[in-house]
């Protein structure tokens, strides 16, 4: 019988994922910090256009979760030679998906953004952002696939390396292209988009080279031509389709959250842009440990040790809170100073403080909710995960709509994050407690 998962093993998986998740967080932070000095229009446009872009990428992220679950299960079974075949089938799907998503962005972004955004200033700045950023979507899709591979085989340190590459590229190009330093043109929000595009391409190149050098001869059958197996592809899609729908639905609701805030005015949009950037930093450990829960639950089931699932979830959650709470306390202690990083206007920074304090509370609830939600996905029953979150998201969006009509204080709209995390934790815990999840085959 295999011994229980140790704290050291949990951190060995979670820490590199945490650093890897920092990739988009760092991009968002540097973009927001630089653009905040250009005013609320640039802040609001980068937030809305960036979220609009990521609505499309979440489809690939959802597919990658399905690949991660299957890879982790095969890894737990010691069936390593199937991992490269699974990755190859995933690559074919991601290539086709990326081409479709790029086509939609290229031909329809202007019409969709015009329909969604009220402010003409924010709309025009958003178009300036999307016209460059859209070219990175195929690379982002493959980056999600590579991350799923490395999380699935519990070799997550490469994600840290890719994050460092992305961060360096993005920070340097933001500095150069937003304000026109080092002899390059001052492009404002368009420069931020180009910097993010180049960061995504650099991560893809790094992942590909690293994988070719380190994994090609390790028995995973990577970078070989495999015969297309219709049965395997159907199995991958059976697992991945619910996660694709779930991620698309979830992030679309998140995007609607900010569209509704945009209708409260440009100041509310600017406040929420800064709040979102800080929130992404706060919940980075939460997402890392939640992903760890997913892969460990799938691996434990593959090893035949279903009796260890609940104790593992609890242990991962304790580590998640241990990592998150000190960060939350620090942010709650210095909210004005942290908001001041994003803007020179200290009066505006003070307007952000109530929303910062609200997300500090929301972060704790998100840690609990996401841990149990990812445990549900890790069992392989991604359809159940989809249905469970769909119910919660309906309540979430109705609450947001009510708040945007009942109050002009944007921090009360952000209280929706507390509601979402609490409901997610309760419902998914009850599922894990009473459902027959140990019968699922992947």
């Amino acid at each position: 019988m295999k011994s229980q998962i140790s704290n050291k093993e949990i951190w060995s998986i979670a820490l590199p994922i945490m650093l890897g998740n920092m990739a988009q967080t760092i991009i968002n932070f540097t973009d927001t910090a630089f653009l905040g000095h250009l005013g609320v229009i640039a802040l609001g446009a980068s937030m809305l256009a960036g979220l609009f872009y990521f609505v499309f990428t979440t489809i690939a992220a959802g597919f990658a979760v399905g690949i991660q679950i299957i890879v982790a299960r095969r890894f737990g079974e010691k069936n390593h030679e199937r991992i490269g075949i699974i990755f190859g089938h995933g690559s074919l799907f991601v290539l086709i998906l990326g081409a479709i998503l790029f086509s939609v962005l290229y031909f329809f972004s202007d019409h969709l953004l015009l329909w969604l955004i009220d402010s003409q200033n924010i709309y025009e700045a958003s178009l300036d952002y999307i016209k460059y950023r859209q070219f990175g979507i195929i690379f982002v899709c493959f980056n999600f696939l590579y991350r799923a591979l490395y999380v699935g085989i519990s070799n997550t340190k490469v994600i840290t390396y890719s994050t460092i590459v992305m961060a360096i590229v993005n920070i340097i190009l933001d500095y150069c292209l937003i304000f026109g330093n080092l002899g390059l043109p001052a492009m404002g929000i368009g420069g931020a988009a180009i910097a993010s595009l180049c960061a995504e391409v650099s991560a893809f190149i790094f992942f590909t080279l690293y994988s070719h050098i380190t994994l090609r001869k390790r028995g995973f059958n990577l970078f070989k031509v495999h015969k297309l197996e219709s049965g395997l592809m159907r199995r991958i899609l059976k697992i991945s389709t619910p996660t694709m729908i779930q991620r698309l639905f979830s992030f679309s609701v998140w995007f609607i959250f900010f569209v509704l805030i945009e209708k409260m005015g440009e100041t509310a949009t600017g406040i929420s842009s800064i709040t979102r950037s800080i929130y992404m930093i706060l919940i980075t450990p939460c997402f890392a440990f939640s992903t760890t829960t997913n892969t460990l639950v799938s691996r434990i089931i593959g090893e035949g040790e279903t009796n260890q699932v609940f104790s593992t979830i609890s242990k991962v959650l304790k580590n998640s809170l241990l990592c998150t709470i000190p960060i939350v306390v620090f942010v709650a202690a210095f909210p004005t100073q942290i908001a001041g990083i994003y803007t020179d206007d200290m009066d505006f920074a003070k307007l952000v403080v109530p929303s910062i304090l609200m997300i500090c509370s929301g972060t704790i609830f998100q840690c609990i909710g996401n841990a149990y939600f990812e445990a549900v996905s890790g069992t392989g029953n991604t359809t159940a995960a989809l249905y469970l979150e769909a119910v919660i998201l309906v309540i979430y969006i109705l609450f947001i709509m009510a708040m945007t009509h009942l109050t002009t204080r944007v921090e009360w709209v952000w209280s929706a994050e507390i509601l979402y995390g609490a409901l997610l934790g309760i419902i998914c815990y009850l599922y894990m407690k009473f459902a027959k999840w140990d019968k699922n085959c992947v």
Side-chain angles (χ1 to χ4, degrees):
M1 180 176 176
K2 188 181 184 298
S3 60
Q4 291 189 353
I5 300 294
S6 66
N7 289 323
K8 182 179 179 180
E9 188 171 2
I10 290 170
W11 276 90
S12 70
I13 298 172
L15 184 58
I17 297 173
M18 195 185 309
L19 296 172
N21 287 346
M22 285 296 291
Q24 292 302 330
T25 302
I26 290 170
I27 286 176
N28 173 259
F29 171 79
T30 52
D31 286 355
T32 306
F34 279 119
L35 292 172
H37 297 280
L38 299 181
V40 294
I41 300 299
L43 271 177
S46 66
M47 178 186 72
L48 287 172
L51 287 168
F52 175 77
Y53 173 76
F54 280 111
V55 165
F56 292 90
T57 68
T58 51
I59 301 175
F63 178 77
V65 170
I67 292 289
Q68 175 190 314
I69 292 168
I70 299 172
V71 167
R73 190 67 57 87
R74 298 292 88 81
F75 190 72
E77 295 168 351
K78 310 299 183 184
N79 192 1
H80 294 172
E81 66 274 6
R82 293 293 295 173
I83 291 175
I85 299 173
I86 294 165
F87 184 81
H89 282 63
S91 297
L92 176 62
F93 182 85
V94 160
L95 181 62
I96 297 170
L97 176 64
I100 294 171
L101 294 175
F102 172 75
S103 299
V104 174
L105 280 170
Y106 187 83
F107 291 108
F108 300 107
S109 288
D110 53 346
H111 303 294
L112 291 171
L113 289 171
L114 181 62
W115 177 57
L116 292 167
I117 298 174
D118 286 349
S119 168
Q120 184 66 25
N121 291 328
I122 292 179
Y123 167 71
E124 291 175 357
S126 296
L127 285 185
D128 194 29
Y129 185 89
I130 284 292
K131 73 178 180 182
Y132 298 112
R133 191 71 187 274
Q134 64 191 356
F135 290 99
I137 193 161
I138 293 179
F139 300 101
V140 171
C141 291
F142 272 99
N143 289 342
F144 279 128
L145 187 64
Y146 274 120
R147 290 187 184 112
L149 168 67
Y150 283 103
V151 172
I153 64 175
S154 300
N155 181 15
T156 51
K157 61 183 179 181
V158 62
I159 301 175
T160 303
Y161 304 151
S162 71
T163 300
I164 294 171
V165 171
M166 288 187 72
I168 292 172
V169 171
N170 190 71
I171 291 171
I172 292 174
L173 291 181
D174 264 351
Y175 174 76
C176 294
L177 293 173
I178 292 176
F179 301 113
N181 292 311
L182 301 182
L184 293 174
M187 300 179 65
I189 191 171
I194 293 174
S196 299
L197 164 63
C198 291
E200 289 160 352
V201 173
S202 67
F204 169 76
I205 293 172
F206 174 80
F207 269 129
T208 302
L209 292 175
Y210 184 95
S211 301
H212 187 77
I213 294 169
T214 63
L215 296 184
R216 188 163 54 97
K217 296 181 180 180
R218 288 185 54 188
F220 292 122
N221 277 330
L222 288 176
F223 301 109
K224 295 181 181 179
V225 178
H226 301 287
K227 181 181 178 181
L228 185 64
E229 301 178 19
S230 58
L232 175 59
M233 185 61 84
R234 283 194 299 270
R235 191 156 61 252
I236 291 172
L237 290 175
K238 181 181 178 181
I239 298 294
S240 298
T241 299
T243 61
M244 285 190 285
I245 297 171
Q246 176 262 319
R247 291 295 177 100
L248 177 62
F249 186 28
S250 179
F251 208 88
S252 294
V253 169
W254 181 238
F255 178 62
I256 292 170
F257 174 94
F258 290 100
V259 169
L260 292 172
I261 286 178
E262 188 267 339
K263 299 182 187 307
M264 296 174 71
E266 292 176 352
T267 299
T269 306
I271 290 171
S272 291
S273 179
I274 293 175
T275 304
R276 171 183 171 256
S277 179
I278 297 168
Y279 192 36
M280 291 298 99
I281 296 171
L282 288 174
I283 62 175
T284 293
C286 162
F287 287 152
F289 283 99
S290 298
T291 302
T292 302
T293 304
N294 183 305
T295 196
L296 286 178
V297 166
S298 183
R299 197 179 84 190
I300 288 169
I301 295 173
E303 293 170 349
E305 302 291 345
T306 56
N307 60 305
Q308 294 187 21
V309 167
F310 260 99
S311 62
T312 300
I313 296 170
S314 297
K315 188 172 289 187
V316 175
L317 178 55
K318 289 176 183 176
N319 281 280
S320 178
L321 292 171
L322 180 67
C323 182
T324 300
I325 289 174
I327 304 172
V328 168
V329 170
F330 177 80
V331 171
F334 304 100
T336 306
Q337 292 84 348
I338 292 172
I341 297 172
Y342 297 88
T343 177
D344 296 323
D345 185 346
M346 292 311 297
D347 290 332
F348 182 69
K350 291 176 182 177
L351 293 177
V352 184
V353 170
S355 296
I356 293 176
L357 297 177
M358 190 67 74
I359 60 171
C360 286
S361 299
T363 301
I364 303 301
F365 286 92
Q366 290 287 348
C367 284
I368 300 169
N370 277 278
Y372 281 99
F373 176 75
E374 289 295 340
V376 174
S377 294
T379 67
N381 196 347
T382 51
T383 301
L386 168 63
Y387 292 154
L388 292 173
E389 191 179 24
V391 172
I392 296 166
L393 286 173
V394 170
I395 299 171
Y396 175 79
I397 197 66
L398 290 174
F399 179 84
I400 294 166
M401 292 173 68
M403 285 294 102
T404 54
H405 285 86
L406 293 174
T407 181
T408 58
R409 296 180 66 88
V410 71
E411 65 268 20
W412 288 111
V413 183
W414 277 97
S415 69
E417 294 303 299
I418 297 175
L419 175 68
Y420 173 84
L423 288 176
L424 193 67
I426 293 168
I427 292 178
C428 291
Y429 172 81
L430 292 174
Y431 175 88
M432 293 298 296
K433 188 74 174 177
F434 298 108
K436 303 296 183 182
W437 49 262
D438 56 333
K439 307 299 182 184
N440 293 321
C441 296
V442 175

